[in-house]
Amino acid sequence: MKAIRRFSVRTVLPEPIAALGDLASNLRWSWHPPTRDLFERIDPQRWAKVRKDPVRLLSALSPAELAALAADTGFVGAVAAAKADLDTYLTEPRWYQAWAQAQDEDGAGAPKAIGYFSPEFGITEVLPQYSGGLGILAGDHLKTASDLGVPIVGVGLFYKTGYFKQSLNRDGWQQETYPVLDPDGLPLSMLREEDGTPCVITLGLPGGRQLHAHVWKAQVGRVPLLLLDSDVPDNDEAARNITNRLYGGGGEQRLQQEMLLGIGGVRALRLWSRLTGAPAPDVYHTNEGHAGFLGVERIHELTQSADLGFEEALEAVRAATVFTTHTPVPAGIDRFDAELISLHFGGDQAVPGVPVDRLLALGAEDYPGGQPGMFNMAVMGLRLGGRANGVSQLHGVVSREMFDGLWPGFDDDEVPISSVTNGVHAGTWVDRRVYELADKYLGTHDLERDNAWDRIDEVPREAIWATKRDMREQLVVEARRRTRSSWKKRGASPAELGWVDDILDPDILTIGFARRVPTYKRLTLMLRDPARLKRLLLDEKRPIQLVIAGKSHPADETGKQLIQQMVRFADDPEIRHRIVFLPNYDIAMAQYLYPGCDVWLNNPLRPFEACGTSGMKAALNGGLNLSILDGWWDEWFDGGNGWAIPTADGVEDAERRDDLEAAALYDLIENSVAPRFYDTDEAGLPQNWLSMISHTLRTLGPKVLASRMVRDYTIQLYGPAARAGWALDGETYAGARDLAAYKHKVREGWSSVHVDHVESSGVSDSPQIGETLHVRAYVSLGDLTPDEVEVEVVHGTARDSDELRDVQCEPLALVESYEGGRHQFAGDFALARTGSFGYTVRVLPKHVGLASTSELGLVANA
C-alpha cells in the first residue's frame, strides 16, 4: 500500500555535538575529506550503507547513539575542531577579497554579488539535480567561487525526481526510473518568513492560473544556492509537475520551467536580499539559454521602478548580464513556437513594461538560415547579454560561426562572443591518494597556492606508479560491485555471476570512456571493427581493458540503441573480463573512474564537443588523454600529455569518416599507447609513461583547474559587466537613457552612412617594411556626428579573393567636415608585414556604453 502523506522527521542533536548539523548541511563536506572522515568515524559500516550522506547518517542514529557520541569527549572535541575549521573557511578573506580591494583602490570597483543561473547543478550525488556536463560545470563553478571567496549566489530549480536513474534490461536496453526526492531528507532548508510560513514566489500562467513556488537553499561552502520548487499545495496538478523532472515534459512545460528559472529566479534573489540583507547582484550570469527570461523580469522591474522605457531598461539590463553558451550544435538549443511565447507573455499575460512584440524580437531567428515564427533562447541570451562567451577557444570559434547572422557585415572573428575555457574543481575530482602523495613529497596538497606544479618531478616515480595502481585497483573493485548489481537487475541469479569476480585486472592498461550519449559523442566508434578491438582486449603481451559508462536522454532512441550495441558487445563471454559497461553514470561513479583509468578516451565528431571536462579530471589524477582534437584538448594538447586522434576532416561520407577515425584510434592504441604502458625497466616501472604523467601534471595542472576558470570569469567578464552596469544606472539611469537614445539615432540614420572615397599615398611602387602609408577617407554620415562613429582602416594579408585575414585596425582621425554630412578622416601607419597586403576602410558606431564596436551589428564598408 502507498502512503497518502509523507514527511521527514529531523534528528535533534544533543548540544555537545549540535555542530554536526551545521557540518552536514553545508555541502563543503562533499569536497572536504576531513569532514567526511568525521562522519565516517561515527559508524563506518552505516556510513557506507547511507552512501556517504551525512544527513541520512544523522537521521539513522538513535537517541541513545547520539547521547553516546555526545558523552565521548574525544569525538566532541573533533566536532568542535571541524566546526571551527568550517567557520574559518566561511569568513576568512580569500582571493576575491584581495582582488576586490585592489579594484577599489584603483577606483574600478568590484561586484558585491553575482547571480549565477543554471537549469542544473551537480554538487554531489546526494543532491541529484544534474544530468551531465552543464550541471557538473555549474557545480564546480559554485564550489570554486566558494574557495576563492567570489560572492556568487546560485539560482536553479528543485526537481522532485531529479534526472533519471539508469539500469539495463536483459537485452541491454536502457531503463529509466525516477525515485521521488524528499527535500526534507536532503541538505536543504526552506526559506521562510518571520512567522515561519514558507516564502512563496508567484508567476501568472495563461487562463488565469497561478504558478507558486517555494524556495529551498543549499549551502555550498560560502555560496548559497536557491532552488525553486513548484510542488506546492496551492498549485494545480499541472503546475505542481512543472519542476517534477529535469529536462522532462513537452514544449509548454519546458517553457514554464524556464519562466520559473529566469523570472522566478530573479524574484528569489530579491526575496533572499529581503530576508538576509544580502546585496542585490551587480552582475547576472546565465549559464546557457534556459535562464534567459531573467532579463525580461529585470526589464520589467526597471520600467516599473525607475520610470524607464523598454529600450532604456534593456540597455541597463544588457550591460550587467553575462551569457555563456555551451552548445556547439543548433539542436541543443531550446526553441519555442512564437505563438506559445505570445500565449504566455501577451494579452492578459502581458508583462508591464515588456510589450510582447519586443520580447518576440529578442528571440527571433530573423537572420539568414533562421526559421520565422520560432523563438530561440540562445539568441535571446545573446541579445540580452552584454558579454557572451563559449567554453573553450575552439568552441568560441564555433559559436561565432553559429551566431554570425546576428552581426551581419562582420567577419566571424569580430562576432562579440569570447571564450573562457572550462575548468574542474580539484577538491571534488582528485582522489585523496593524490593529495596524500603531494603532502608527503611536496609538503603541500594545494599545488596552486604553493606554486608547486613545477616540482612534480620531486615525487618519486615508483610512488606515482604505486599510487596509480592503487587507484586502478579501487576502480576494479567498484566496477565488479556495480557489474554484479547491474546483472542482478537484468535478471541474473547469484549462481550465474561467479565470473564477475574476475573481471578487469589492476595491472592492465585501463581506458575509460564515460559521457552523455548523443550521436555526435560516438560511443560506439570503438566498435567499428569488433574483431580488431577484441584482439586489442585479448592481446597476450599488451592487453587493454575498457570501462565505459553513459546515459542517453529518455527520448533519444538512437542513443539508447548505441548503448545497447555497446552492452551486447561487452556481454560476450570471450571478452567480458576486459570490458564493462557500468549503468547510472553519476558523480559517485565518476570519482572512481577518473582516478582509476590510465587513459581517458574522447572521440566526438569534431567540432561538436564544446569543452569536455572529463578528460581534465582524468589528467589531474595522472591519466593521459587519447582524444579527437576538439574542445579543450584542441587548445592544450602539446604532443607530450597524451595522444591526438587524427580526424578525417573534409570527408563528407559519415560512415567512411567513422571508419577512418576508428582505424586511427586502433592504430594509436596498438602502436603507441599500449607499447609505452608496457615498456618497463628492470624495476617494473614504465619510465616513458611516467614521464608523460609528470609532464601532464606539470603543464595541464594549472590550466584545467576551475580556480583559473572562475578567476578568468571574474576578471574578464564579471568585473567589466559590473562596471558597465554601474555606468548606466544611478538614481536617474541617465547612462541607460543616453545609450538607448544613441542606439535609436544610429539605427535610424545608418542607411545614410557610407564611405564615399578612399585615397592613399606615401609608399613606393615596390613597398618595403617600415614605409608609412597615408590613408585619407571621405565619408557621409547623414545626421550622425563624427564623434558618434569610428572610422577605421582595416589591413591584413590579402587572399587571392581579396578577402583579408590576420587583420589589424587603425583609427582614422577627423580632418575636416563639409556640407551635407560629409567628412574627411585620415591617418598614417607603418607597413609591418611582408607578403600580400590589403586594406579597406569602414565606419562603425562609437559610444562609451558599447561593449564592443560590433555590438549593434552595423558597419559601413568601403
PDB file of all heavy atoms in Angstrom, residues 700-729:
ATOM      1  N   LEU A 700      49.430  20.719 -17.583  1.00  0.00           N
ATOM      2  CA  LEU A 700      47.980  20.857 -17.631  1.00  0.00           C
ATOM      3  C   LEU A 700      47.387  21.232 -16.282  1.00  0.00           C
ATOM      4  O   LEU A 700      46.341  21.884 -16.211  1.00  0.00           O
ATOM      5  CB  LEU A 700      47.330  19.556 -18.104  1.00  0.00           C
ATOM      6  CG  LEU A 700      47.375  19.245 -19.592  1.00  0.00           C
ATOM      7  CD1 LEU A 700      46.631  17.943 -19.874  1.00  0.00           C
ATOM      8  CD2 LEU A 700      46.743  20.377 -20.397  1.00  0.00           C
ATOM      9  N   GLY A 701      48.049  20.811 -15.213  1.00  0.00           N
ATOM     10  CA  GLY A 701      47.502  21.040 -13.874  1.00  0.00           C
ATOM     11  C   GLY A 701      47.010  22.454 -13.645  1.00  0.00           C
ATOM     12  O   GLY A 701      45.840  22.675 -13.297  1.00  0.00           O
ATOM     13  N   PRO A 702      47.854  23.470 -13.840  1.00  0.00           N
ATOM     14  CA  PRO A 702      47.398  24.838 -13.574  1.00  0.00           C
ATOM     15  C   PRO A 702      46.295  25.297 -14.523  1.00  0.00           C
ATOM     16  O   PRO A 702      45.496  26.166 -14.168  1.00  0.00           O
ATOM     17  CB  PRO A 702      48.673  25.670 -13.791  1.00  0.00           C
ATOM     18  CG  PRO A 702      49.814  24.705 -13.779  1.00  0.00           C
ATOM     19  CD  PRO A 702      49.264  23.406 -14.256  1.00  0.00           C
ATOM     20  N   LYS A 703      46.244  24.737 -15.724  1.00  0.00           N
ATOM     21  CA  LYS A 703      45.287  25.219 -16.723  1.00  0.00           C
ATOM     22  C   LYS A 703      43.883  24.673 -16.507  1.00  0.00           C
ATOM     23  O   LYS A 703      42.894  25.379 -16.726  1.00  0.00           O
ATOM     24  CB  LYS A 703      45.761  24.822 -18.129  1.00  0.00           C
ATOM     25  CG  LYS A 703      47.079  25.459 -18.560  1.00  0.00           C
ATOM     26  CD  LYS A 703      47.494  24.934 -19.933  1.00  0.00           C
ATOM     27  CE  LYS A 703      48.824  25.513 -20.387  1.00  0.00           C
ATOM     28  NZ  LYS A 703      49.245  24.948 -21.692  1.00  0.00           N
ATOM     29  N   VAL A 704      43.779  23.396 -16.112  1.00  0.00           N
ATOM     30  CA  VAL A 704      42.463  22.757 -16.094  1.00  0.00           C
ATOM     31  C   VAL A 704      41.693  23.011 -14.803  1.00  0.00           C
ATOM     32  O   VAL A 704      40.561  22.560 -14.661  1.00  0.00           O
ATOM     33  CB  VAL A 704      42.583  21.229 -16.322  1.00  0.00           C
ATOM     34  CG1 VAL A 704      43.266  20.941 -17.641  1.00  0.00           C
ATOM     35  CG2 VAL A 704      43.305  20.539 -15.169  1.00  0.00           C
ATOM     36  N   LEU A 705      42.259  23.746 -13.880  1.00  0.00           N
ATOM     37  CA  LEU A 705      41.577  23.996 -12.625  1.00  0.00           C
ATOM     38  C   LEU A 705      40.437  25.000 -12.789  1.00  0.00           C
ATOM     39  O   LEU A 705      40.567  26.009 -13.486  1.00  0.00           O
ATOM     40  CB  LEU A 705      42.558  24.522 -11.582  1.00  0.00           C
ATOM     41  CG  LEU A 705      43.645  23.548 -11.110  1.00  0.00           C
ATOM     42  CD1 LEU A 705      44.546  24.227 -10.097  1.00  0.00           C
ATOM     43  CD2 LEU A 705      43.014  22.295 -10.502  1.00  0.00           C
ATOM     44  N   ALA A 706      39.338  24.747 -12.092  1.00  0.00           N
ATOM     45  CA  ALA A 706      38.229  25.699 -12.107  1.00  0.00           C
ATOM     46  C   ALA A 706      38.602  26.998 -11.425  1.00  0.00           C
ATOM     47  O   ALA A 706      37.974  28.030 -11.684  1.00  0.00           O
ATOM     48  CB  ALA A 706      37.006  25.076 -11.438  1.00  0.00           C
ATOM     49  N   SER A 707      39.612  26.996 -10.572  1.00  0.00           N
ATOM     50  CA  SER A 707      40.050  28.254  -9.966  1.00  0.00           C
ATOM     51  C   SER A 707      40.570  29.205 -11.033  1.00  0.00           C
ATOM     52  O   SER A 707      40.315  30.422 -10.979  1.00  0.00           O
ATOM     53  CB  SER A 707      41.119  27.992  -8.904  1.00  0.00           C
ATOM     54  OG  SER A 707      42.162  27.209  -9.425  1.00  0.00           O
ATOM     55  N   ARG A 708      41.290  28.675 -12.033  1.00  0.00           N
ATOM     56  CA  ARG A 708      41.704  29.513 -13.159  1.00  0.00           C
ATOM     57  C   ARG A 708      40.479  30.004 -13.921  1.00  0.00           C
ATOM     58  O   ARG A 708      40.381  31.177 -14.295  1.00  0.00           O
ATOM     59  CB  ARG A 708      42.632  28.684 -14.067  1.00  0.00           C
ATOM     60  CG  ARG A 708      43.259  29.447 -15.249  1.00  0.00           C
ATOM     61  CD  ARG A 708      42.395  29.399 -16.493  1.00  0.00           C
ATOM     62  NE  ARG A 708      41.948  28.054 -16.792  1.00  0.00           N
ATOM     63  CZ  ARG A 708      40.804  27.777 -17.401  1.00  0.00           C
ATOM     64  NH1 ARG A 708      40.003  28.754 -17.818  1.00  0.00           N
ATOM     65  NH2 ARG A 708      40.452  26.526 -17.617  1.00  0.00           N
ATOM     66  N   MET A 709      39.519  29.104 -14.135  1.00  0.00           N
ATOM     67  CA  MET A 709      38.313  29.472 -14.871  1.00  0.00           C
ATOM     68  C   MET A 709      37.532  30.579 -14.159  1.00  0.00           C
ATOM     69  O   MET A 709      37.136  31.573 -14.782  1.00  0.00           O
ATOM     70  CB  MET A 709      37.419  28.244 -15.039  1.00  0.00           C
ATOM     71  CG  MET A 709      36.059  28.546 -15.645  1.00  0.00           C
ATOM     72  SD  MET A 709      34.913  27.131 -15.604  1.00  0.00           S
ATOM     73  CE  MET A 709      34.498  27.074 -13.848  1.00  0.00           C
ATOM     74  N   VAL A 710      37.285  30.426 -12.870  1.00  0.00           N
ATOM     75  CA  VAL A 710      36.471  31.411 -12.147  1.00  0.00           C
ATOM     76  C   VAL A 710      37.213  32.742 -12.039  1.00  0.00           C
ATOM     77  O   VAL A 710      36.591  33.813 -12.113  1.00  0.00           O
ATOM     78  CB  VAL A 710      36.054  30.868 -10.770  1.00  0.00           C
ATOM     79  CG1 VAL A 710      35.357  31.947  -9.941  1.00  0.00           C
ATOM     80  CG2 VAL A 710      35.121  29.660 -10.939  1.00  0.00           C
ATOM     81  N   ARG A 711      38.525  32.699 -11.904  1.00  0.00           N
ATOM     82  CA  ARG A 711      39.276  33.967 -11.927  1.00  0.00           C
ATOM     83  C   ARG A 711      39.137  34.626 -13.301  1.00  0.00           C
ATOM     84  O   ARG A 711      38.990  35.855 -13.394  1.00  0.00           O
ATOM     85  CB  ARG A 711      40.746  33.727 -11.586  1.00  0.00           C
ATOM     86  CG  ARG A 711      41.002  33.496 -10.112  1.00  0.00           C
ATOM     87  CD  ARG A 711      42.484  33.632  -9.770  1.00  0.00           C
ATOM     88  NE  ARG A 711      43.290  32.632 -10.467  1.00  0.00           N
ATOM     89  CZ  ARG A 711      43.623  31.451  -9.970  1.00  0.00           C
ATOM     90  NH1 ARG A 711      43.223  31.110  -8.754  1.00  0.00           N
ATOM     91  NH2 ARG A 711      44.364  30.605 -10.668  1.00  0.00           N
ATOM     92  N   ASP A 712      39.182  33.835 -14.368  1.00  0.00           N
ATOM     93  CA  ASP A 712      39.000  34.394 -15.712  1.00  0.00           C
ATOM     94  C   ASP A 712      37.625  35.050 -15.843  1.00  0.00           C
ATOM     95  O   ASP A 712      37.497  36.158 -16.381  1.00  0.00           O
ATOM     96  CB  ASP A 712      39.153  33.303 -16.778  1.00  0.00           C
ATOM     97  CG  ASP A 712      40.598  32.884 -17.003  1.00  0.00           C
ATOM     98  OD1 ASP A 712      41.494  33.563 -16.467  1.00  0.00           O
ATOM     99  OD2 ASP A 712      40.811  31.878 -17.705  1.00  0.00           O
ATOM    100  N   TYR A 713      36.591  34.353 -15.384  1.00  0.00           N
ATOM    101  CA  TYR A 713      35.252  34.948 -15.433  1.00  0.00           C
ATOM    102  C   TYR A 713      35.209  36.249 -14.641  1.00  0.00           C
ATOM    103  O   TYR A 713      34.621  37.244 -15.083  1.00  0.00           O
ATOM    104  CB  TYR A 713      34.212  33.968 -14.868  1.00  0.00           C
ATOM    105  CG  TYR A 713      33.627  33.032 -15.888  1.00  0.00           C
ATOM    106  CD1 TYR A 713      33.999  31.689 -15.933  1.00  0.00           C
ATOM    107  CD2 TYR A 713      32.689  33.473 -16.813  1.00  0.00           C
ATOM    108  CE1 TYR A 713      33.460  30.816 -16.864  1.00  0.00           C
ATOM    109  CE2 TYR A 713      32.139  32.612 -17.752  1.00  0.00           C
ATOM    110  CZ  TYR A 713      32.528  31.277 -17.780  1.00  0.00           C
ATOM    111  OH  TYR A 713      31.998  30.425 -18.716  1.00  0.00           O
ATOM    112  N   THR A 714      35.817  36.232 -13.477  1.00  0.00           N
ATOM    113  CA  THR A 714      35.756  37.407 -12.609  1.00  0.00           C
ATOM    114  C   THR A 714      36.458  38.604 -13.244  1.00  0.00           C
ATOM    115  O   THR A 714      35.914  39.713 -13.290  1.00  0.00           O
ATOM    116  CB  THR A 714      36.396  37.078 -11.248  1.00  0.00           C
ATOM    117  OG1 THR A 714      35.682  35.990 -10.647  1.00  0.00           O
ATOM    118  CG2 THR A 714      36.351  38.278 -10.324  1.00  0.00           C
ATOM    119  N   ILE A 715      37.672  38.375 -13.740  1.00  0.00           N
ATOM    120  CA  ILE A 715      38.470  39.479 -14.262  1.00  0.00           C
ATOM    121  C   ILE A 715      37.993  39.922 -15.636  1.00  0.00           C
ATOM    122  O   ILE A 715      37.892  41.121 -15.926  1.00  0.00           O
ATOM    123  CB  ILE A 715      39.953  39.063 -14.299  1.00  0.00           C
ATOM    124  CG1 ILE A 715      40.475  38.827 -12.870  1.00  0.00           C
ATOM    125  CG2 ILE A 715      40.802  40.111 -15.006  1.00  0.00           C
ATOM    126  CD1 ILE A 715      41.831  38.141 -12.813  1.00  0.00           C
ATOM    127  N   GLN A 716      37.673  38.948 -16.506  1.00  0.00           N
ATOM    128  CA  GLN A 716      37.347  39.276 -17.892  1.00  0.00           C
ATOM    129  C   GLN A 716      35.881  39.618 -18.116  1.00  0.00           C
ATOM    130  O   GLN A 716      35.556  40.362 -19.047  1.00  0.00           O
ATOM    131  CB  GLN A 716      37.731  38.108 -18.800  1.00  0.00           C
ATOM    132  CG  GLN A 716      39.208  37.768 -18.803  1.00  0.00           C
ATOM    133  CD  GLN A 716      39.519  36.479 -19.557  1.00  0.00           C
ATOM    134  OE1 GLN A 716      38.753  36.052 -20.425  1.00  0.00           O
ATOM    135  NE2 GLN A 716      40.621  35.843 -19.224  1.00  0.00           N
ATOM    136  N   LEU A 717      34.980  39.089 -17.262  1.00  0.00           N
ATOM    137  CA  LEU A 717      33.550  39.257 -17.530  1.00  0.00           C
ATOM    138  C   LEU A 717      32.792  39.902 -16.368  1.00  0.00           C
ATOM    139  O   LEU A 717      32.078  40.885 -16.563  1.00  0.00           O
ATOM    140  CB  LEU A 717      32.928  37.905 -17.882  1.00  0.00           C
ATOM    141  CG  LEU A 717      33.444  37.291 -19.193  1.00  0.00           C
ATOM    142  CD1 LEU A 717      32.969  35.852 -19.348  1.00  0.00           C
ATOM    143  CD2 LEU A 717      32.999  38.112 -20.388  1.00  0.00           C
ATOM    144  N   TYR A 718      32.912  39.359 -15.159  1.00  0.00           N
ATOM    145  CA  TYR A 718      32.128  39.902 -14.052  1.00  0.00           C
ATOM    146  C   TYR A 718      32.520  41.346 -13.731  1.00  0.00           C
ATOM    147  O   TYR A 718      31.646  42.206 -13.554  1.00  0.00           O
ATOM    148  CB  TYR A 718      32.287  39.042 -12.797  1.00  0.00           C
ATOM    149  CG  TYR A 718      31.755  37.639 -12.905  1.00  0.00           C
ATOM    150  CD1 TYR A 718      32.224  36.625 -12.070  1.00  0.00           C
ATOM    151  CD2 TYR A 718      30.763  37.295 -13.830  1.00  0.00           C
ATOM    152  CE1 TYR A 718      31.736  35.333 -12.149  1.00  0.00           C
ATOM    153  CE2 TYR A 718      30.279  36.006 -13.922  1.00  0.00           C
ATOM    154  CZ  TYR A 718      30.769  35.020 -13.076  1.00  0.00           C
ATOM    155  OH  TYR A 718      30.291  33.737 -13.152  1.00  0.00           O
ATOM    156  N   GLY A 719      33.828  41.601 -13.620  1.00  0.00           N
ATOM    157  CA  GLY A 719      34.261  42.960 -13.322  1.00  0.00           C
ATOM    158  C   GLY A 719      33.811  43.960 -14.377  1.00  0.00           C
ATOM    159  O   GLY A 719      33.167  44.969 -14.055  1.00  0.00           O
ATOM    160  N   PRO A 720      34.112  43.720 -15.666  1.00  0.00           N
ATOM    161  CA  PRO A 720      33.646  44.643 -16.713  1.00  0.00           C
ATOM    162  C   PRO A 720      32.128  44.779 -16.766  1.00  0.00           C
ATOM    163  O   PRO A 720      31.606  45.870 -17.008  1.00  0.00           O
ATOM    164  CB  PRO A 720      34.204  44.020 -17.993  1.00  0.00           C
ATOM    165  CG  PRO A 720      35.423  43.273 -17.551  1.00  0.00           C
ATOM    166  CD  PRO A 720      35.067  42.725 -16.199  1.00  0.00           C
ATOM    167  N   ALA A 721      31.389  43.676 -16.556  1.00  0.00           N
ATOM    168  CA  ALA A 721      29.923  43.768 -16.605  1.00  0.00           C
ATOM    169  C   ALA A 721      29.399  44.625 -15.465  1.00  0.00           C
ATOM    170  O   ALA A 721      28.475  45.432 -15.646  1.00  0.00           O
ATOM    171  CB  ALA A 721      29.306  42.371 -16.539  1.00  0.00           C
ATOM    172  N   ALA A 722      29.969  44.457 -14.274  1.00  0.00           N
ATOM    173  CA  ALA A 722      29.539  45.281 -13.145  1.00  0.00           C
ATOM    174  C   ALA A 722      29.803  46.756 -13.418  1.00  0.00           C
ATOM    175  O   ALA A 722      28.940  47.611 -13.194  1.00  0.00           O
ATOM    176  CB  ALA A 722      30.254  44.831 -11.871  1.00  0.00           C
ATOM    177  N   ARG A 723      30.989  47.051 -13.922  1.00  0.00           N
ATOM    178  CA  ARG A 723      31.328  48.454 -14.185  1.00  0.00           C
ATOM    179  C   ARG A 723      30.446  49.045 -15.290  1.00  0.00           C
ATOM    180  O   ARG A 723      30.038  50.208 -15.220  1.00  0.00           O
ATOM    181  CB  ARG A 723      32.811  48.565 -14.534  1.00  0.00           C
ATOM    182  CG  ARG A 723      33.710  48.294 -13.335  1.00  0.00           C
ATOM    183  CD  ARG A 723      35.168  48.590 -13.623  1.00  0.00           C
ATOM    184  NE  ARG A 723      35.818  47.537 -14.367  1.00  0.00           N
ATOM    185  CZ  ARG A 723      36.376  46.453 -13.809  1.00  0.00           C
ATOM    186  NH1 ARG A 723      36.328  46.272 -12.501  1.00  0.00           N
ATOM    187  NH2 ARG A 723      36.982  45.545 -14.552  1.00  0.00           N
ATOM    188  N   ALA A 724      30.128  48.221 -16.289  1.00  0.00           N
ATOM    189  CA  ALA A 724      29.234  48.699 -17.345  1.00  0.00           C
ATOM    190  C   ALA A 724      27.840  48.965 -16.783  1.00  0.00           C
ATOM    191  O   ALA A 724      27.186  49.953 -17.140  1.00  0.00           O
ATOM    192  CB  ALA A 724      29.160  47.668 -18.475  1.00  0.00           C
ATOM    193  N   GLY A 725      27.388  48.097 -15.890  1.00  0.00           N
ATOM    194  CA  GLY A 725      26.081  48.304 -15.279  1.00  0.00           C
ATOM    195  C   GLY A 725      26.047  49.558 -14.424  1.00  0.00           C
ATOM    196  O   GLY A 725      25.091  50.344 -14.482  1.00  0.00           O
ATOM    197  N   TRP A 726      27.098  49.763 -13.633  1.00  0.00           N
ATOM    198  CA  TRP A 726      27.134  50.959 -12.790  1.00  0.00           C
ATOM    199  C   TRP A 726      27.138  52.233 -13.635  1.00  0.00           C
ATOM    200  O   TRP A 726      26.550  53.239 -13.251  1.00  0.00           O
ATOM    201  CB  TRP A 726      28.373  50.945 -11.897  1.00  0.00           C
ATOM    202  CG  TRP A 726      28.408  49.810 -10.928  1.00  0.00           C
ATOM    203  CD1 TRP A 726      27.347  49.163 -10.362  1.00  0.00           C
ATOM    204  CD2 TRP A 726      29.580  49.155 -10.441  1.00  0.00           C
ATOM    205  NE1 TRP A 726      27.770  48.149  -9.539  1.00  0.00           N
ATOM    206  CE2 TRP A 726      29.142  48.118  -9.569  1.00  0.00           C
ATOM    207  CE3 TRP A 726      30.947  49.322 -10.629  1.00  0.00           C
ATOM    208  CZ2 TRP A 726      30.030  47.286  -8.894  1.00  0.00           C
ATOM    209  CZ3 TRP A 726      31.826  48.502  -9.964  1.00  0.00           C
ATOM    210  CH2 TRP A 726      31.383  47.491  -9.104  1.00  0.00           C
ATOM    211  N   ALA A 727      27.809  52.174 -14.782  1.00  0.00           N
ATOM    212  CA  ALA A 727      27.905  53.369 -15.628  1.00  0.00           C
ATOM    213  C   ALA A 727      26.538  53.774 -16.171  1.00  0.00           C
ATOM    214  O   ALA A 727      26.335  54.940 -16.534  1.00  0.00           O
ATOM    215  CB  ALA A 727      28.862  53.115 -16.790  1.00  0.00           C
ATOM    216  N   LEU A 728      25.591  52.819 -16.212  1.00  0.00           N
ATOM    217  CA  LEU A 728      24.289  53.122 -16.794  1.00  0.00           C
ATOM    218  C   LEU A 728      23.209  53.357 -15.754  1.00  0.00           C
ATOM    219  O   LEU A 728      22.100  53.787 -16.096  1.00  0.00           O
ATOM    220  CB  LEU A 728      23.839  51.981 -17.717  1.00  0.00           C
ATOM    221  CG  LEU A 728      24.735  51.686 -18.921  1.00  0.00           C
ATOM    222  CD1 LEU A 728      24.055  50.672 -19.832  1.00  0.00           C
ATOM    223  CD2 LEU A 728      25.063  52.945 -19.701  1.00  0.00           C
ATOM    224  N   ASP A 729      23.482  53.045 -14.478  1.00  0.00           N
ATOM    225  CA  ASP A 729      22.409  53.202 -13.501  1.00  0.00           C
ATOM    226  C   ASP A 729      22.547  54.518 -12.746  1.00  0.00           C
ATOM    227  O   ASP A 729      22.840  55.548 -13.334  1.00  0.00           O
ATOM    228  CB  ASP A 729      22.302  51.986 -12.580  1.00  0.00           C
ATOM    229  CG  ASP A 729      23.544  51.752 -11.711  1.00  0.00           C
ATOM    230  OD1 ASP A 729      24.344  52.680 -11.560  1.00  0.00           O
ATOM    231  OD2 ASP A 729      23.690  50.642 -11.184  1.00  0.00           O
TER     232      ASP A 729
END
